[in-house]
Amino acid sequence: MAKYDYVPSPFMSNPIVKWVDHRLPIFEMVDQQLIKYPAPRNLNYWWNFGSLAGVMLVVMILSGIFLAMNYQPSTVAAFDSVERIMRDVNYGWLLRYMHMNGASMFFVVVYIHIARGLYYGSYKAPREILWWLGLLIFLAMMATAFMGYVLPWGQMSFWGATVITNLFSAIPLVGKSIVTWLWGGFSVDNPTLNRFFALHYLLPFVIAGLVLLHLWALHVHGSNNPLGIDAKGPQDKIPFHPYYTVKDAFGLSVFLIIYAYFVFFNPYMLGDPDNWIPANPLVTPPHIVPEWYFLPFYAILRSVPDKLGGVTLMFGAIAILFVLPWLDTSRVRSGRFRPAFRVFFWLFMVVTVTLGWCGSQPPEGMALTIGQICTVLYFLHFLVFLPLLGWFERPLPLPASIAEPVLKSAAK
Amino acid sequence: MRSFRFLLAGVGLALSLGTAAASEGPEIPHQHWSHDGFFGTFDRAALQRGYQVYKEVCSACHSMKQMRFRNLEGIGLDEAQIKAVAAEFETTDGPNDDGEMFQRPSRPSDRFRMPFANDNAARAVNGGALPPDLSLIAKNRKGGENYVVALLTGYADPPEGVTVPEGMHYNKVFPGHMIAMNQPIQDDAVTYADGTKATVDQMAHDVATFLAYAASPHLEARNALGVKVMLFLFVLAGLLYAAKRKIWKGLH
Amino acid sequence: MAQPGTSTLTTSPGGGRQHEDGTARRDFLYLSATAFGATGAVLTGWAFISSMNPSADVLALSSTEVNLSAMQPGQAITVVWRGKPVFVRYRTPEEIAKAKADDKADLRDPELDSKRVQKSQWLILVGVCTHLGCVPLGQKPTDPHGDFGGWFCPCHGSHYDTSGRIRKGPAPKNLEVPTYTFLNDTTIRIG
């Protein structure tokens, strides 16, 4: 982070604040890292999604705590206790729908946040660790979401848990023992549900810890920006408050409108009807699909007609993101100055959405073929297109500073 | 902004494809419901007729485990009426001082009567088929209450060349078309207190309304609160947009 | 418009310019936006908190029926109502007389015995000491009944008389009488 002249906020001269700060400089940290924190002056609305994700984490933890006060993690009581929340607990339906649809909203926000990072090259030096921490958050979110989906103990809960835990049986030699260990038995049953509840309650706090690290890493070099060039001086930056607090707040209010629409007027749209049927270990629903946010990975899993191969490829689809900073060989960060990269970026977006569609279809015929093509394209993007683009692409000329184009357009 | 439109189009495409995937199988026509939409409320008369159909026809085989008599408040019955309805049934209570379970008239806090002691008893009586619990049927079938109507009115003679096995019945919308339940409602199967003519269509629509209520008893509260929350958020967004414009005005 | 070269970090909202007309309106705008947002957060929080209040199923169960036909004078039974013990005592004429006599005693929480019963032989009490919530002894003939022939709380030594009134010890109030109704001569409904 470029050194900047830190001028403390007026409240910093309050004697109580001074007394506290002398012992624990917490106000100074808030003032420096949140209020006066210098942010690039040209961040666009795509930069709202980081703080939105933070808000969603808080919403999920809060609604989850109140749900947990009424939930009973046992195969006998789980389904009915959720129905009791829906029917009898004061505002229980609101808590449940906030939590249920909140999971989807959280993933929407995080996927956009990731896509923004991909487009503007936010993973490039010196932000590799920031990127890794983000990926770890993503992985923890997936684990949390998966285990949370098991808790209502509906048909999809049970069979989703069965199918996903069975992925681990693909591991040679020890796979079977690992799955038995995961289950705490010989099928998904009461011990599984109990431990999933314990972990589902724990992991969000792990995520919160990772988020703090993510923010720490972010504040070392500051936010990337749509131009992808480093700030040259104080004229390139503005204090976080009030500029980005108000912008984030406005973005949040728009996001909440969409979220509230789902919670109040369309709460079942993103879920599967089968999960309103109590779990039945003897009958598999005819068409098992994971929640929408797992569909692209599910499609990759099914595009390989080999158990171990499919599982490896699915995990590889995420693992490959960890080495992305080195696979992308271009020295230019932002896609705005990389005309060829832009084409491949949008191709990649289409590929992931198409994979999502394939994941929702029965694995046969057209959907399977398209899924296989898209799986190949997914990996080609990282392993071939990105490394080669850095070599062959001729980027557009970069502006001299962040402030330059801003001030130029203002002068006109 | 161009890229944003791109993204929206992508999401729209994905959603429409997703819904297309969801609607495989026979078409379920969408009925008109008074509880549809942002301001939807349940039709109380239909709910009460629907409960009558459930009580006099469906409840012979289908349980509604999640429903208590007190939930009938939502179909428009008052406390005295609910007590009277509950008292028509018996609930097992106990053990008493002698350690025996005993039957007593149901109270509003009791669950609806279960037609069978357990699933196996239900199967034994119904030729091996388990009549599903109806508490959440309007949520756990694709099409919801529309599916209920379509199923109840979907009995027909099997098409040419299709043989219906013994104990099964042909239905246009049931997955696989072979359903163990015989057509449950015929014209005038019940006599409505309010004089409404009890046609199959009428009864199907009424009982589906009741089942929709049973699956989402908080729908009206949800809509009412939702409208307020939406209005609030639109004002908040407007205020914040104005504030954002003001604060950023000097910058560009 | 920020001038190039000046540090924009110290720029105040609105570009650092003092708009003679705009300041008040701006302040009002920020204030109302903040107030609106805070109200929304508080209302949402209220819904969350209210989820911890008794739910509909708990409220619906809040009555218990008791059959008194098998009870003998001097006998007491304990029934559960809302998860708490309720003492039902068939008082003997001596106990009733003692309770009535004590109406004139020096009571910490003065209340006439006749106000605490519907039928003088049936004394119905919530069996929870008004000090810190223990269950007093005195239901069984072999229990200690305290200095006043009623109940004795072993936790901190509160003594209750034959009308369940506090007579000695730290408890501030008489044992609570729940709302109950006689459905017929031998059945009561508590709650």
Side-chain angles (χ1 to χ4, degrees):
Chain A
M1 174 182 1
K3 281 270 170 274
Y4 69 102
D5 302 323
Y6 167 59
V7 183
S9 299
F11 75 85
M12 292 295 290
S13 51
N14 179 304
I16 298 173
V17 169
K18 279 187 158 164
W19 187 92
V20 173
D21 263 19
H22 187 60
R23 287 148 184 88
L24 179 71
I26 191 157
F27 287 103
E28 189 184 308
M29 192 187 82
V30 169
D31 196 38
Q32 284 192 2
Q33 300 300 323
L34 284 173
I35 297 175
K36 296 287 185 175
Y37 173 69
R41 60 188 298 151
N42 62 335
L43 299 185
N44 57 30
Y45 275 104
W46 295 110
W47 262 262
N48 277 48
F49 288 88
S51 71
L52 280 183
V55 170
M56 276 321 294
L57 179 63
V58 172
V59 168
M60 293 305 278
I61 288 181
L62 283 180
S63 55
I65 287 174
F66 283 89
L67 286 171
M69 291 179 190
N70 290 293
Y71 172 74
Q72 292 174 283
S74 97
T75 53
V76 182
F79 189 89
D80 285 347
S81 77
V82 172
E83 274 307 306
R84 189 184 149 263
I85 291 172
M86 295 292 297
R87 289 160 191 271
D88 289 337
V89 173
N90 305 305
Y91 292 105
W93 57 269
L94 178 62
L95 291 170
R96 168 100 199 282
Y97 286 150
M98 278 175 84
H99 203 70
M100 204 171 113
N101 288 288
S104 282
M105 290 295 134
F106 202 174
F107 273 97
V108 168
V109 165
V110 164
Y111 277 137
I112 295 177
H113 187 62
I114 295 174
R116 190 269 288 151
L118 290 175
Y119 184 83
Y120 292 109
S122 300
Y123 46 82
K124 293 192 190 184
R127 297 187 180 85
E128 298 94 328
I129 292 186
L130 173 62
W131 173 253
W132 284 348
L133 286 165
L135 290 174
L136 289 178
I137 293 171
F138 179 48
L139 284 173
M141 271 178 70
M142 290 168 80
T144 312
F146 160 65
M147 288 190 281
Y149 194 57
V150 178
L151 303 185
W153 208 242
Q155 272 290 65
M156 278 294 166
S157 300
F158 180 86
W159 292 102
T162 301
V163 168
I164 300 298
T165 47
N166 263 316
L167 290 179
F168 293 92
S169 69
I171 302 169
L173 298 175
V174 290
K176 199 113 184 81
S177 332
I178 288 183
V179 173
T180 309
W181 173 77
L182 279 175
W183 288 341
F186 302 100
S187 66
V188 173
D189 207 336
N190 210 42
T192 327
L193 180 60
N194 259 291
R195 63 187 61 182
F196 276 17
F197 179 53
L199 293 172
H200 180 73
Y201 205 120
L202 167 72
L203 276 179
F205 298 97
V206 174
I207 293 178
L210 287 169
V211 166
L212 285 181
L213 291 178
H214 192 63
L215 281 174
W216 186 6
L218 173 72
H219 283 215
V220 173
H221 289 281
S223 296
N224 183 30
N225 65 81
L227 296 177
I229 55 175
D230 291 327
K232 294 282 188 320
Q235 74 278 9
D236 288 344
K237 300 223 168 181
I238 47 177
F240 194 82
H241 179 76
Y243 293 105
Y244 287 112
T245 40
V246 76
K247 195 172 179 178
D248 280 351
F250 170 60
L252 174 65
S253 64
V254 173
F255 166 77
L256 286 179
I257 290 173
I258 300 166
Y259 183 17
Y261 166 75
F262 281 109
V263 168
F264 290 104
F265 300 111
N266 216 341
Y268 324 129
M269 190 188 126
L270 300 168
D272 194 299
D274 277 324
N275 221 31
W276 299 97
I277 304 174
N280 181 353
L282 303 180
V283 182
T284 311
H287 189 41
I288 296 212
V289 268
E291 292 285 88
W292 69 266
Y293 36 81
F294 291 138
L295 288 175
F297 302 104
Y298 194 54
I300 292 176
L301 169 77
R302 298 192 307 187
S303 65
V304 187
D306 172 74
K307 192 170 173 180
L308 181 59
V311 174
T312 312
L313 220 56
M314 185 179 73
F315 285 111
I318 297 169
I320 203 165
L321 293 168
F322 280 89
V323 286
L324 171 62
W326 295 274
L327 292 174
D328 183 351
T329 50
S330 174
R331 263 170 304 162
V332 176
R333 282 200 196 103
S334 173
R336 189 174 287 185
F337 304 105
R338 302 183 60 192
F341 164 81
R342 271 212 302 268
V343 174
F344 283 97
F345 172 82
W346 287 114
L347 175 69
F348 180 71
M349 288 292 117
V350 172
V351 164
T352 46
V353 171
T354 312
L355 276 173
W357 171 75
C358 297
S360 73
Q361 300 297 308
E364 59 206 14
M366 267 271 285
L368 185 63
T369 315
I370 296 175
Q372 287 168 336
I373 295 169
C374 286
T375 302
V376 171
L377 284 172
Y378 182 98
F379 285 97
L380 278 182
H381 179 78
F382 292 109
L383 294 172
V384 178
F385 300 156
L386 282 183
L388 290 184
L389 273 173
W391 284 91
F392 292 109
E393 185 181 47
R394 187 199 286 255
L396 303 177
L398 296 178
S401 78
I402 292 175
E404 186 197 60
V406 178
L407 298 174
K408 229 185 240 165
S409 68
K412 270 178 205 161
Chain B
M1 276 297 106
R2 196 180 61 98
S3 45
F4 189 64
R5 253 182 280 131
F6 206 133
L7 189 95
L8 274 187
V11 171
L13 181 78
L15 286 179
S16 54
L17 286 169
T19 14
S23 59
E24 318 153 5
E27 189 73 24
I28 309 286
H30 193 96
Q31 308 283 323
H32 171 77
W33 304 102
S34 68
H35 55 270
D36 275 342
F38 291 90
F39 300 95
T41 51
F42 287 112
D43 175 350
R44 293 291 187 281
L47 283 177
Q48 292 180 20
R49 289 195 300 267
Y51 172 65
Q52 188 184 349
V53 175
Y54 169 74
K55 189 175 82 170
E56 293 178 14
V57 183
C58 319
S59 72
C61 300
H62 291 278
S63 60
M64 286 188 90
K65 287 178 193 162
Q66 306 295 343
M67 288 291 279
R68 276 100 172 146
F69 291 105
R70 64 183 159 84
N71 295 133
L72 294 177
E73 198 187 343
I75 72 169
L77 302 191
D78 63 26
E79 211 183 316
Q81 287 170 314
I82 291 173
K83 276 186 183 160
V85 170
E88 291 170 26
F89 298 91
E90 291 208 316
T91 296
T92 306
D93 202 345
N96 61 14
D97 296 342
D98 301 324
E100 312 271 333
M101 302 304 279
F102 60 93
Q103 295 292 113
R104 58 156 176 79
S106 296
R107 298 179 197 147
S109 58
D110 290 322
R111 289 174 190 264
F112 279 16
R113 188 183 61 102
M114 301 279 281
F116 303 104
N118 51 55
D119 287 358
N120 287 355
R123 282 203 183 86
V125 174
N126 290 288
L130 176 68
D133 184 83
L134 295 185
S135 330
L136 287 160
I137 205 85
K139 262 179 181 173
N140 63 27
R141 295 291 187 273
K142 280 180 181 133
E145 51 268 45
N146 297 300
Y147 170 81
V148 174
V149 173
L151 183 91
L152 291 175
T153 57
Y155 284 87
D157 292 328
E160 206 66 30
V162 173
T163 44
V164 179
E166 179 67 31
M168 298 301 254
H169 310 275
Y170 186 83
N171 189 293
K172 283 183 282 187
V173 298
F174 190 74
H177 299 301
M178 299 299 160
I179 184 169
M181 173 170 73
N182 197 355
Q183 181 169 3
I185 45 175
Q186 323 288 343
D187 281 344
D188 297 315
V190 301
T191 310
Y192 282 136
D194 64 4
T196 308
K197 191 153 167 34
T199 61
V200 168
D201 284 346
Q202 180 70 41
M203 286 184 284
H205 200 271
D206 288 342
V207 79
T209 310
F210 175 68
L211 294 175
Y213 164 73
S216 312
H218 283 290
L219 179 135
E220 290 180 2
R222 207 175 74 211
N223 280 351
L225 184 58
V227 168
K228 285 183 208 144
V229 167
M230 281 294 190
L231 282 175
F232 173 88
L233 286 174
F234 275 111
V235 175
L236 180 66
L239 282 172
L240 286 168
Y241 181 66
K244 194 260 164 191
R245 286 285 298 260
K246 273 256 148 59
I247 287 175
W248 281 75
K249 203 170 73 180
L251 211 57
H252 300 302
Chain C
M1 305 225 311
Q3 278 82 46
T6 59
S7 168
T8 48
L9 286 177
T10 51
T11 310
S12 63
R17 298 274 182 82
Q18 285 305 310
H19 303 275
E20 292 79 23
D21 56 343
T23 316
R25 204 174 59 210
R26 214 166 52 214
D27 288 350
F28 175 72
L29 184 62
Y30 302 155
L31 208 66
S32 41
T34 313
F36 238 76
T39 312
V42 168
L43 288 177
T44 314
W46 181 76
F48 278 40
I49 303 287
S50 111
S51 77
M52 292 169 72
N53 269 321
S55 54
D57 56 327
V58 174
L59 292 175
L61 285 177
S62 55
S63 70
T64 302
E65 282 179 25
V66 188
N67 185 353
L68 308 171
S69 56
M71 287 179 69
Q72 301 298 321
Q75 199 189 348
I77 58 167
T78 307
V79 296
V80 180
W81 172 64
R82 288 185 173 172
K84 292 184 289 193
V86 168
F87 296 162
V88 179
R89 187 170 193 89
Y90 192 167
R91 297 195 292 185
T92 58
E94 300 83 66
E95 285 171 335
I96 298 170
K98 196 160 184 278
K100 288 208 189 305
D102 283 350
D103 281 350
K104 297 177 194 78
D106 181 22
L107 298 173
R108 181 175 301 163
D109 181 12
E111 221 178 345
L112 294 178
D113 181 63
S114 55
K115 298 278 180 210
R116 292 176 58 78
V117 291
Q118 291 181 15
K119 296 184 180 178
S120 62
Q121 69 271 38
W122 295 111
L123 179 62
I124 320 288
L125 299 169
V126 175
V128 175
C129 180
T130 57
H131 180 221
L132 291 171
C134 295
V135 178
L137 298 172
Q139 286 293 87
K140 284 188 223 140
T142 51
D143 278 350
H145 292 268
D147 297 353
F148 299 89
W151 288 268
F152 171 70
C153 182
C155 289
H156 307 96
S158 293
H159 299 252
Y160 296 92
D161 67 13
T162 52
S163 189
R165 292 173 293 203
I166 179 66
R167 301 299 291 273
K168 191 175 152 192
K173 294 268 180 195
N174 301 333
L175 289 178
E176 188 195 336
V177 178
T179 48
Y180 63 92
T181 43
F182 277 89
L183 298 178
N184 52 49
D185 276 353
T186 56
T187 314
I188 54 166
R189 175 186 289 158
I190 305 168

